[in-house]
Amino acid sequence: MPEEKVFPSFDDEDTSSNSSTIIVNDDLGANQESPNVKEENNDEMKLSAKMALLDFRCRVEDAILSNYLVYNKKKVIFSKEDIENQRDISLWGVPLLSSKGHEGTDVILMKFLKSKDYKVSEAFKALRKALRWRMKHHVDDILGENFSPEVENLWHANGKDKDGRPVCYQVLGNFKNKDLDREMWGSHEERQDLIRWRIQCLEKGIRLLDFKPGGHNSIVLVYDLRNSPGIAMKEIRWITKRMLRIIHDNYPGLIHKNIIINVPVWFSTLHALNLRVIQQRSKNKFIFVRPTRVTDTLLKYVSAEELMAHYGGLRREQDMEFSPSDKVLEATVKPNISTSIRIPVKQGEMTVTWDLMVVGYEVAYKEEFIPEDDCSYSVLLQSNKKMETLIRNSFHIREPGNIVITIHNHTSKKKMAFYRYHTKPSIPIYMLQNCSF
């Protein structure tokens, strides 16, 4: 009977290695966060690290050539064909045999070394354990597996963070089909499938990396818990515990940040005790964000032009007007005061298009065109209106002037506004209608 592709309970797995859950409450850790350190930079490694990498590389190559890198002598769980094919073994498309000359081999090996403080023996054991886990559970084939179409749409990779790392989103609680909701969180088998789906999402994100020395060889994961079922608290604990263990054991250094957003109060309370077991060097790996802090937190890691509009950014799906390469400007909106943003237009017969977003909203805005000629009339484009979403507008200008956007901040908090614009020549529709062809 073929082996079933599910993840068994971790009570049956090898628990000899020490692992810790790294969880940070955004409110507690925001002011103490250390600066981001670029991964695998081009600076020379310390001599001890170089020697450890050389030793690790030789040890892995010897194990591959001797056919014992994955083979478990105590418990035979692989076929003879699997054992003989170890020379072609790879991780995320990168061969582990260094003599093949792939530039990503050392990058992969360094991730296991760093996770074990450059202790070669422990890194070698961790690598073997990860490879056995992948082979036993057919993780290399997981990208070809199909899940429910509605579940498939709950994962997407969209944009990059400020350092160029891919940003991947998982919307865990937004099932539109309530029957599917109960099905996915209900029985043990369905929860195992949900874990496997999350592993597939993780593998998709990692395949976006090129594993080049000096590159940003990790991803940012954003988990959205909006509308997550409160009755499923026990199931969420079950899934979260196992996912943390899987990531800790089998994906060292591949996740730069885990940002869990729209966290309900009961979820924060559930994980409050885990703050006591945080490792100091990794305490910022997991960030839990309440609904009121989502945009502020995401903008610390993702620029406004790369952040999706429904999370408070400027990026839209299939946007025909702007791209992430378009320059985004910032403006500070002081509390209890009105701030004006001017978009200059130096010549007539141009169409101006602009985007505007204020972090946290809670402001009103007005848009108008003010011509340079004092004898011309100003044009009111939008009277005072409460801002509730990303604003996009356009206006055809027949003479030089300025688009003036006035933001009224009646709160006691300072806010940040992000905007961008472009101009292009255009002919008004009424002129086209009068043309004869």
Side-chain angles (χ1 to χ4, degrees):
M1 182 176 179
E3 185 177 7
E4 188 177 1
K5 297 182 182 181
V6 297
F7 292 94
S9 171
F10 282 95
D11 295 335
D12 299 330
E13 297 285 346
D14 179 18
T15 58
S16 59
S17 62
N18 294 327
S19 62
S20 62
T21 303
I22 308 164
I23 297 177
V24 170
N25 184 294
D26 181 62
D27 293 336
L28 295 177
N31 296 327
Q32 301 176 0
E33 183 173 332
S34 58
N36 291 335
V37 179
K38 292 187 177 181
E39 304 169 36
E40 288 83 40
N41 54 37
N42 294 324
D43 297 337
E44 290 189 3
M45 294 182 295
K46 294 180 180 179
L47 180 60
S48 58
K50 288 185 177 181
M51 295 300 295
L53 177 59
L54 179 61
D55 186 10
F56 190 28
R57 185 195 303 157
C58 294
R59 191 162 182 176
V60 170
E61 183 163 356
D62 179 67
I64 293 175
L65 297 178
S66 301
N67 293 327
Y68 71 88
L69 180 61
V70 182
Y71 178 60
N72 190 344
K73 297 180 180 179
K74 296 181 180 179
K75 186 177 181 181
V76 180
I77 58 176
F78 308 114
S79 66
K80 183 178 180 180
E81 182 181 359
D82 291 333
I83 297 172
E84 293 176 350
N85 290 337
Q86 288 188 72
R87 292 195 178 192
D88 297 326
I89 196 167
S90 63
L91 264 179
W92 306 295
V94 178
L96 295 180
L97 190 62
S98 57
S99 59
K100 290 191 174 184
H102 195 287
E103 61 182 354
T105 302
D106 284 352
V107 175
I108 297 292
L109 297 182
M110 278 299 296
K111 289 186 177 296
F112 283 89
L113 269 178
K114 287 182 178 181
S115 69
K116 299 300 179 182
D117 295 325
Y118 298 97
K119 298 176 182 178
V120 177
S121 296
E122 293 186 15
F124 183 70
K125 291 179 182 178
L127 176 62
R128 294 187 70 191
K129 183 178 178 181
L131 292 172
R132 291 172 188 163
W133 173 80
R134 295 180 67 85
M135 188 172 292
K136 182 177 180 180
H137 300 296
H138 308 278
V139 177
D140 288 333
D141 301 327
I142 202 170
L143 293 178
E145 296 182 11
N146 296 319
F147 297 89
S148 167
E150 189 163 357
V151 174
E152 293 278 2
N153 294 331
L154 299 181
W155 180 92
H156 63 280
N158 206 318
K160 297 182 178 181
D161 74 350
K162 293 181 178 179
D163 292 323
R165 301 180 184 88
V167 181
C168 304
Y169 297 84
Q170 287 188 20
V171 187
L172 301 182
N174 211 13
F175 295 112
K176 296 180 180 179
N177 187 332
K178 297 303 180 183
D179 293 333
L180 176 63
D181 193 349
R182 288 189 291 269
E183 178 183 342
M184 291 301 297
W185 296 100
S187 66
H188 178 78
E189 290 75 15
E190 275 74 30
R191 292 197 299 269
Q192 293 283 12
D193 285 341
L194 188 57
I195 288 182
R196 195 161 181 84
W197 167 72
R198 290 184 64 179
I199 290 293
Q200 185 191 66
C201 297
L202 185 58
E203 290 285 327
K204 287 180 179 179
I206 293 174
R207 295 307 169 101
L208 299 175
L209 304 175
D210 52 20
F211 293 107
K212 291 184 178 180
H216 299 288
N217 298 304
S218 59
I219 63 176
V220 176
L221 288 181
V222 179
Y223 302 92
D224 191 350
L225 296 184
R226 178 179 298 177
N227 299 329
S228 58
I231 58 174
M233 180 173 65
K234 181 178 179 180
E235 287 75 13
I236 292 178
R237 289 179 60 185
W238 187 90
I239 292 173
T240 301
K241 178 181 178 181
R242 279 148 183 79
M243 282 302 302
L244 288 174
R245 181 65 181 274
I246 288 173
I247 292 172
H248 179 274
D249 290 345
N250 304 291
Y251 297 91
L254 287 166
I255 301 179
H256 176 66
K257 293 288 181 183
N258 290 272
I259 306 176
I260 298 89
I261 61 175
N262 291 311
V263 175
V265 175
W266 59 263
F267 197 89
S268 301
T269 305
L270 177 66
H271 289 277
L273 294 178
N274 289 330
L275 293 172
R276 299 183 179 182
V277 295
I278 298 174
Q279 288 184 352
Q280 183 66 27
R281 65 177 182 177
S282 303
K283 70 177 183 178
N284 292 321
K285 285 289 184 180
F286 282 75
I287 300 175
F288 288 78
V289 188
R290 297 187 180 95
T292 56
R293 298 289 306 277
V294 169
T295 302
D296 290 297
T297 303
L298 290 179
L299 285 174
K300 293 178 183 178
Y301 305 100
V302 185
S303 59
E305 61 269 26
E306 292 282 0
L307 185 62
M308 295 301 297
H310 57 271
Y311 290 127
L314 298 177
R315 184 168 183 147
R316 300 170 184 257
E317 293 286 354
Q318 300 178 346
D319 194 345
M320 304 300 293
E321 288 289 345
F322 293 98
S323 69
S325 61
D326 291 320
K327 185 178 181 180
V328 174
L329 304 174
E330 300 181 15
T332 301
V333 183
K334 296 181 180 180
N336 298 310
I337 200 172
S338 296
T339 302
S340 295
I341 296 174
R342 290 181 174 268
I343 300 176
V345 183
K346 300 300 183 181
Q347 61 186 45
E349 302 303 337
M350 304 288 289
T351 296
V352 185
T353 304
W354 63 91
D355 278 345
L356 172 67
M357 184 273 294
V358 177
V359 178
Y361 304 120
E362 297 181 325
V363 297
Y365 71 100
K366 180 179 71 172
E367 298 171 325
E368 57 185 333
F369 171 68
I370 301 178
E372 289 184 355
D373 189 349
D374 294 337
C375 297
S376 298
Y377 291 100
S378 298
V379 180
L380 180 63
L381 306 177
Q382 174 64 61
S383 59
N384 285 328
K385 182 179 179 181
K386 183 179 179 181
M387 181 179 292
E388 297 177 339
T389 185
L390 170 64
I391 304 301
R392 173 170 293 179
N393 204 351
S394 62
F395 182 65
H396 176 76
I397 295 174
R398 303 184 63 183
E399 59 181 314
N402 294 276
I403 298 292
V404 179
I405 306 172
T406 304
I407 303 173
H408 306 285
N409 182 11
H410 300 298
T411 70
S412 58
K413 300 178 182 179
K414 181 177 70 174
K415 294 181 176 293
M416 289 300 300
F418 296 90
Y419 66 100
R420 59 185 175 183
Y421 64 92
H422 65 68
T423 59
K424 57 183 179 181
S426 61
I427 302 176
I429 295 178
Y430 72 87
M431 293 183 64
L432 291 175
Q433 292 174 344
N434 295 330
C435 293
S436 59
F437 296 94

